Amino acid sequence: MRILIIEDEPGIALFLKEGLQEESFAVDVAREGIEGLEMARVNEGEYDLLLIDWMLPGLSGIEIARQIRKDGSQVPIIFLTAKDTVQDTVFALEMGANDYMKKPFAFDELLARIRVQLRTKAGETSQLSHRDLMMDLNTHQVFVQEEEVMLTPKEFALLEFILRNKGKVCTRTRIIEHVWDIHFDYNTSVIDVYINALRKKIDKGSGESLITTIRGVGYIIKEK
Ligand code: CA
């Protein structure tokens, strides 16, 4: 899952970026309004959620949300703001925000709200499973045959993405777009390295790998 943060306060931006990366999200940061809108537009469809500060140099968060909705994008938007009057909240929601966090906020609460938005978007529960594998997106645990398997944040993100798209081929390009951030150098062989590491952990001698390689294209977890 890839998130764009548009936030001009460097401390908050870094805190959010690091916190979300630890939770396996790929994170891009824009420090200014016009740049933020540009990034959201250029990478349209690649971001699974936008976290936007209200007060920004260049272009306000409200204006960014308005433009993005005008473009027809339905990407979930959560506002971060010091404003907290009822009118401001209503205004933010009318301008296309899905939710609203008042600063200062607890990271855990923000994370919970992000997960709600992503669940709503995907229309699913907090658990993903396939055969004898189960991922708990809230506790960040993965179980194979009811035994916990320890994954790195990137391995977790990769497995989550492929599993969310069960039955569909995940092309290398789509995997990069959703699991890695904007600074990734597009050397797609890195994906193979991660897939191999992941297989070693989740395929417990069952012979057949959970993740099937579609040669030259990408990877799939088949429905059956
Ligand atoms: Ca600000």
Side-chain angles (χ1 to χ4, degrees):
M1 298 282 105
R2 186 165 164 194
I3 293 179
L4 173 64
I5 299 171
I6 311 177
E7 166 65 81
D8 60 315
E9 288 169 58
I12 296 177
L14 185 67
F15 166 74
L16 290 173
K17 183 178 197 241
E18 290 182 347
L20 291 170
Q21 281 175 335
E22 281 169 14
E23 295 295 327
S24 307
F25 291 100
V27 183
D28 294 332
V29 178
R31 292 280 168 74
E32 188 269 331
I34 294 165
E35 181 198 7
L37 178 61
E38 187 63 25
M39 282 171 75
R41 278 181 164 158
V42 167
N43 303 308
E44 211 266 306
E46 294 169 23
Y47 292 119
D48 299 289
L49 186 137
L50 310 180
L51 269 184
I52 308 179
D53 184 30
W54 182 303
M55 304 287 281
L56 288 164
L59 205 59
S60 74
I62 290 288
E63 189 56 27
I64 295 171
R66 215 176 57 79
Q67 297 273 355
I68 286 169
R69 291 296 182 242
K70 220 173 103 191
D71 293 346
S73 168
Q74 293 303 311
V75 64
I77 296 175
I78 298 179
F79 266 122
L80 303 173
T81 175
K83 289 177 182 269
D84 65 343
T85 65
V86 174
Q87 290 96 315
D88 286 336
T89 313
V90 170
F91 186 55
L93 296 174
E94 279 175 353
M95 283 299 123
N98 299 77
D99 203 354
Y100 182 94
M101 283 293 285
K102 186 188 148 202
K103 291 177 184 174
F105 53 82
F107 183 75
D108 283 351
E109 190 188 345
L110 174 64
L111 192 61
R113 286 171 184 261
I114 288 173
R115 296 213 187 281
V116 166
Q117 291 302 326
L118 294 177
R119 275 208 293 283
T120 309
K121 188 186 170 215
E124 61 193 22
T125 65
S126 59
Q127 290 186 352
L128 296 173
S129 60
H130 182 66
R131 290 191 208 155
D132 56 6
L133 179 137
M134 196 277 279
M135 292 187 92
D136 188 318
L137 303 176
N138 288 334
T139 62
H140 245 248
Q141 287 172 297
V142 176
F143 298 90
V144 177
Q145 293 165 11
E146 292 175 11
E147 223 175 282
E148 187 171 3
V149 179
M150 306 306 282
L151 301 185
T152 66
K154 205 48 106 187
E155 289 165 355
F156 189 95
L158 183 58
L159 182 59
E160 181 186 350
F161 182 71
I162 299 175
L163 202 44
R164 273 183 191 272
N165 289 283
K166 185 154 85 173
K168 287 185 261 179
V169 176
C170 296
T171 64
R172 285 149 192 276
T173 307
R174 286 191 65 229
I175 291 173
I176 286 171
E177 285 170 354
H178 288 270
V179 180
W180 271 269
D181 64 35
I182 206 167
H183 301 295
F184 188 71
D185 68 3
Y186 279 71
N187 176 0
T188 55
S189 62
V190 170
I191 296 172
D192 305 328
V193 174
Y194 275 90
I195 291 281
N196 284 336
L198 197 51
R199 279 175 170 156
K200 278 189 188 127
K201 294 181 181 179
I202 63 172
D203 294 332
K204 290 199 164 173
S206 52
E208 188 197 356
S209 179
L210 223 73
I211 301 170
T212 306
T213 306
I214 307 294
R215 216 158 283 288
V217 181
Y219 296 94
I220 184 171
I221 290 181
K222 293 181 177 165
E223 295 278 5
K224 291 272 169 190

